[in-house]
Amino acid sequence: MLAARFSRALAPLARNRLGFQNVPNITRAGQMLSSLHSMKDEKTQEPQDKKDKGKEGSQELDAMNCDRMKTLQLDVCKCAEVNKAIETIQKSLKDPSEGLWGLVNNAGVSAFGEVEFTSLETYKEVAEVNLWGTIRTTKASLPMLRRAKGRIVNISSVLGRTASAGRSTYCITKFGMEAFSDCLRWELFPMGVRVSVVEPGNFVVATRIYSPERIQATAQKMWESLPEDVRRDYGKKYFNQRVSNMELHCKSGSVDTKPVIESVSHALTSKTPYTRYHPMDYYWWLRMQIVTHAPGAVSDMIYSQ
């Protein structure tokens, strides 16, 4: 799970102030780095029960015994839990007037299925975590971030720059995050807060956010819920082919998340963080350039097959 791996990678930064040697402000007593992840289960998209505390990610982080790092579970879809987390962070600051140095919005869930195959509820569930969760945690953290003149790092996706058939539920949330981040960056620039966006390529293999079993279970439920006329018009052969394409996509991703971790680290620690980071392989980088710079007819010809 990327959230757990990502947090583990931040542990050395929490332990070692030298990781922030390019940023004088971070050495001030009481400043903190906050990385907020979704507490939605990746398979069911349901909130995890409190009894899950201590499993995998949080257990490994707690085992590091880092006195400068604390783990805290929350559901980014619930204002009460987000506000409680902010209160906990404030109480952990030696000097609250120094503020919060960094916020990394890494909460995310995913779904697949063409527009006619996807329920409105699925659209809402994905957006509630990926988009509204980011907005909710950012707004709650802004007073502390402004005081510190800190950093906001939003984990978007290459699918926030280029669309993909069958991924509209995910794409619209990441396109929304891109726009939110741009607006936020321009608003906060005069106040000294820097906002960066990290746009990873295909890291499905590394994150294990999809498994063959989950894809098949989701596809079966999706097919059974379709209206009869939609099933008739598309046909099972077409439907099965789209599912097979998704399975192939989930087997072809990068397995090393190091480029993502390095991008986040740079955004948090550099004196001159980039606006956007592109940790992706050449296929996705080239696709992004074609979609964003070439005439629409070109990308339609290549990618609408």
Side-chain angles (χ1 to χ4, degrees):
M1 186 169 61
L2 181 58
R5 295 183 183 184
F6 173 70
S7 293
R8 288 196 296 273
L10 288 180
L13 292 178
R15 280 201 183 99
N16 185 8
R17 294 184 188 274
L18 293 180
F20 293 94
Q21 57 188 352
N22 293 327
V23 189
N25 286 6
I26 198 63
T27 61
R28 295 182 308 193
Q31 287 190 318
M32 293 181 63
L33 169 69
S34 175
S35 175
L36 300 181
H37 308 298
S38 170
M39 291 314 301
K40 294 279 187 177
D41 183 81
E42 290 178 343
K43 294 184 179 181
T44 64
Q45 294 183 8
E46 292 294 331
Q48 289 185 336
D49 189 72
K50 294 300 182 183
K51 67 181 180 181
D52 286 346
K53 182 170 176 60
K55 286 189 177 181
E56 193 177 348
S58 60
Q59 187 177 43
E60 292 185 32
L61 293 171
D62 289 338
M64 292 181 177
N65 296 319
C66 176
D67 59 0
R68 299 185 64 217
M69 178 176 65
K70 296 183 179 180
T71 59
L72 177 66
Q73 288 190 333
L74 74 151
D75 185 343
V76 297
C77 300
K78 297 179 179 179
C79 289
E81 292 196 20
V82 171
N83 292 335
K84 184 177 180 181
I86 297 301
E87 291 177 4
T88 300
I89 293 172
Q90 289 175 325
K91 291 177 182 178
S92 300
L93 295 171
K94 294 180 180 178
D95 184 356
S97 66
E98 298 286 352
L100 176 69
W101 174 254
L103 170 68
V104 182
N105 284 304
N106 188 46
V109 295
S110 186
F112 69 93
E114 302 198 10
V115 174
E116 276 199 281
F117 300 165
T118 306
S119 68
L120 287 176
E121 285 305 312
T122 299
Y123 278 102
K124 293 177 182 179
E125 288 172 1
V126 176
E128 187 62 41
V129 177
N130 295 3
L131 181 57
W132 297 114
T134 295
I135 295 173
R136 189 175 289 113
T137 55
T138 301
K139 283 178 65 65
S141 305
L142 279 178
M144 291 190 294
L145 290 163
R146 282 191 286 99
R147 286 198 293 272
K149 296 185 178 181
R151 305 287 171 82
I152 299 173
V153 184
N154 291 330
I155 309 299
S156 179
S157 168
V158 65
L159 294 183
R161 299 289 296 282
T162 170
S164 180
R167 302 299 304 282
S168 62
T169 50
Y170 188 74
C171 287
I172 61 174
T173 64
K174 295 305 181 179
F175 271 79
M177 179 182 286
E178 297 278 345
F180 172 71
S181 299
D182 284 344
C183 294
L184 192 66
R185 187 178 70 256
W186 291 341
E187 292 172 4
L188 296 180
F189 186 85
M191 302 180 186
V193 179
R194 298 295 177 258
V195 180
S196 298
V197 182
V198 179
E199 301 166 344
N202 181 8
F203 286 88
V204 175
V205 174
T207 62
R208 301 191 300 275
I209 196 170
Y210 278 114
S211 65
E213 295 78 16
R214 182 191 171 192
I215 293 174
Q216 286 298 323
T218 301
Q220 180 65 29
K221 182 179 179 180
M222 187 185 301
W223 178 258
E224 292 175 352
S225 65
L226 291 178
E228 182 60 35
D229 59 334
V230 174
R231 282 189 285 186
R232 182 179 62 251
D233 292 344
Y234 282 92
K236 191 63 182 290
K237 182 179 179 180
Y238 176 88
F239 182 87
N240 288 339
Q241 182 59 53
R242 303 305 295 181
V243 174
S244 296
N245 290 346
M246 185 62 188
E247 290 178 323
L248 181 62
H249 168 73
C250 293
K251 295 176 182 178
S252 62
S254 303
V255 296
D256 183 11
T257 59
K258 185 178 179 181
V260 180
I261 304 304
E262 290 178 342
S263 297
V264 175
S265 297
H266 187 273
L268 289 170
T269 63
S270 173
K271 284 185 178 180
T272 55
Y274 303 149
T275 300
R276 283 178 168 80
Y277 295 80
H278 306 124
M280 60 184 72
D281 57 34
Y282 288 117
Y283 167 81
W284 285 106
W285 184 88
L286 180 59
R287 175 167 175 163
M288 183 176 66
Q289 303 309 313
I290 292 174
V291 170
T292 56
H293 297 294
V298 175
S299 57
D300 287 351
M301 179 178 63
I302 299 172
Y303 299 118
S304 64
Q305 303 299 319

